[in-house]
Amino acid sequence: PEFISVNNLADVVGVRPAQFVQRMEEMGFEEITYRDILDAETAGLVAAEFNYEAIFDSGKADLYAAPEIEDTSDLPSRPPVVTIMGHVDHGKTTILDWLRKSSVAASEHGGITQHIGAFSVTMPSGKAITFLDTPGHSAFLEMRRRGADVTDIVVLVVAADDSVKPQTIEAIKHATQAKVPVIVAISKIDKEGNNPDRVKGDLSIHGIHVEDYGGDVQAIGVSGKTGQGMVELEEAIVALSEMLDHRAATTCNVEGWVIEASTKSYGRVASVLIRRGTLRPGDIIVAGTAWARVRTLRNEAGVTISEATPGMPVEIDGWREQPGAGTELLQAPTEQKAKDVVDYRLEKSDTQKMGIDIVAINEARRELL
Ligand code: GDP
Ligand code: MG
């Protein structure tokens, strides 16, 4: 298991990801993104191009995610993970609040929502959507830095009375770079002076071509205040997700991401988004240099649940130390292995943790790159 992401490799050799990807393309690699994972041999080749040498560590002491599966068609469907992005004051929080309320109203427990960094909405059809509700926060930056992105779909919120603004453009850049499909929510559609056509025109200037404007990106007028268009937005997300056909294994070792960590009255907790596998009480997990024997799983309504499957956000307690937001979570077979992995990670440098240590062949030449 000797792999490194393009993003991480770029980081190690001290080159900006965009420049790094370009150099890889000049070397003859095709369709590279910063999220791609390179095997040891390829990483060594590319590192050499930057005058770095890759030294391989068998990495047996660590835990690793299983390689991506090419053909997922036999695996169970999972909910899409959606991030809402857009300019400040364009209505992101209002939309999330509307969605959260509708999800609580629909749940039989009707509990008080706990803030766990993500929540799940079940559509009348029975399909679920997972919304991440803190897109600006450090976990996302940390995950992005590691070249990982938990988001399947970006909902780009643009206010009907304000159109495209700097953070709208930032969000477009992020989605395009990460190759995440976009649905446009033209918000505040209830307001006087709303001009959805202007929004659509401005978006196409920035490379987002909506239906009727020469493209196939869906744009839906919504109001998080009145609820207008919100069901259509949810349906558009479900339809896109069905088309993208998100699937994940449920019977393998658990893999996921820590999206938030904090201390509550019942102890240290972490909100986790499961990527693969099924997490249950008693399971042993490692996230960064923290490990846990899972005691309780809770959903965003604070209700104890018996298991968490891919795409589901869940709050876990049982941590021996506080895990870091944005760290990858992996299942360990035994407590001893979890402890050994934590010790190993505490001793090793960042790149060694990935089984590859990239060192400068000639530090001086680094200046020239
Ligand atoms: P955020 O910064 O993108 O999270 O934006 P907020 O959701 O906090 O909204 C910013 C302001 O716009 C608040 O005063 C909201 O009440 C208002 N607002 C948000 N959505 C709507 C909407 O659909 N219609 C109207 N009329 N006002 C809205
Ligand atoms: Mg907000």
Side-chain angles (χ1 to χ4, degrees):
E2 288 147 2
F3 300 99
I4 186 167
S5 70
V6 169
N7 198 48
N8 269 313
L9 189 54
D11 194 27
V12 172
V13 303
V15 174
R16 276 186 293 111
Q19 209 184 331
F20 190 83
V21 164
Q22 195 188 339
R23 187 74 163 270
M24 281 186 71
E25 279 169 356
E26 285 161 12
M27 288 177 74
F29 291 93
E30 282 172 17
E31 294 196 20
I32 293 288
T33 74
Y34 65 81
R35 296 200 296 172
D36 289 339
I37 304 294
L38 307 177
D39 62 25
E41 199 183 337
T42 313
L45 231 132
V46 178
E49 182 78 6
F50 290 88
N51 287 298
Y52 277 77
E53 191 176 6
I55 296 167
F56 304 119
D57 169 355
S58 80
K60 282 199 182 78
D62 209 342
L63 282 172
Y64 298 90
E68 286 300 325
I69 301 167
E70 289 280 320
D71 180 12
T72 58
S73 56
D74 287 339
L75 301 174
S77 290
R78 64 162 176 84
V81 179
V82 179
T83 303
I84 300 200
M85 302 183 91
H87 196 68
V88 65
D89 280 348
H90 277 198
K92 299 178 297 293
T93 300
T94 307
I95 289 173
L96 279 165
D97 286 347
W98 192 95
L99 292 163
R100 203 189 333 253
K101 258 181 245 146
S102 73
S103 94
V104 174
S107 87
E108 55 190 282
H109 300 283
I112 304 156
T113 44
Q114 313 276 311
H115 181 81
I116 69 164
F119 62 93
S120 170
V121 172
T122 303
M123 299 291 292
S125 64
K127 301 277 178 189
I129 307 171
T130 299
F131 289 94
L132 296 176
D133 66 4
T134 42
H137 92 11
S138 59
F140 290 82
L141 301 177
E142 178 61 17
M143 285 186 267
R144 225 173 281 164
R145 195 182 69 75
R146 288 159 194 250
D149 210 315
V150 290
T151 307
D152 298 311
I153 295 170
V154 164
V155 170
L156 181 66
V157 175
V158 192
D161 62 344
D162 203 27
S163 199
V164 173
K165 285 283 172 301
Q167 286 162 284
T168 320
I169 298 167
E170 273 301 301
I172 293 171
K173 269 196 204 140
H174 164 69
T176 310
Q177 234 175 28
K179 297 201 163 126
V180 180
V182 168
I183 293 175
V184 175
I186 302 178
S187 60
K188 308 197 186 184
I189 203 75
D190 61 297
K191 270 183 94 170
E192 291 263 342
N194 74 73
N195 189 349
D197 280 329
R198 180 174 154 223
V199 172
K200 292 175 187 175
D202 287 350
L203 281 174
S204 68
I205 295 169
H206 293 281
I208 298 289
H209 306 288
V210 306
E211 287 165 343
D212 309 333
Y213 279 71
D216 54 10
V217 175
Q218 281 203 72
I220 296 142
V222 303
S223 167
K225 274 242 162 106
T226 66
Q228 184 189 335
M230 293 298 288
V231 172
E232 280 147 275
L233 176 62
E234 290 174 325
E235 280 167 356
I237 294 167
V238 169
L240 179 58
S241 159
E242 276 173 359
M243 203 187 81
L244 298 169
D245 200 22
H246 297 118
R247 290 166 186 277
T250 52
T251 54
C252 56
N253 280 335
V254 174
E255 298 171 14
W257 295 100
V258 174
I259 49 180
E260 275 192 7
S262 59
T263 304
K264 294 194 174 171
S265 56
Y266 40 87
R268 292 188 196 93
V269 295
S271 303
V272 165
L273 188 63
I274 305 297
R275 183 171 71 226
R276 283 194 239 176
T278 303
L279 188 65
R280 298 186 179 88
D283 286 346
I284 295 153
I285 49 177
V286 179
T289 52
W291 70 277
R293 177 184 280 277
V294 178
R295 207 158 42 203
T296 322
L297 302 174
R298 290 184 183 82
N299 67 13
E300 70 273 8
V303 175
T304 301
I305 55 176
S306 57
E307 56 178 41
T309 49
M312 251 176 97
V314 64
E315 188 186 78
I316 300 165
D317 59 12
W319 294 95
R320 308 301 157 109
E321 307 86 22
Q322 187 90 57
T327 51
E328 186 175 37
L329 176 139
L330 296 166
Q331 185 168 11
T334 61
E335 275 194 19
Q336 191 54 52
K337 175 69 183 179
K339 287 177 195 163
D340 291 347
V341 166
V342 167
D343 287 345
Y344 175 79
R345 290 180 176 187
L346 287 169
E347 278 167 24
K348 290 276 176 168
S349 73
D350 262 4
T351 49
Q352 284 175 320
K353 278 176 217 159
M354 285 168 287
I356 307 174
D357 194 16
I358 314 278
V359 295
I361 291 172
N362 179 348
E363 276 290 339
R365 287 217 45 196
R366 203 171 160 171
E367 310 298 326
L368 305 173
L369 294 167

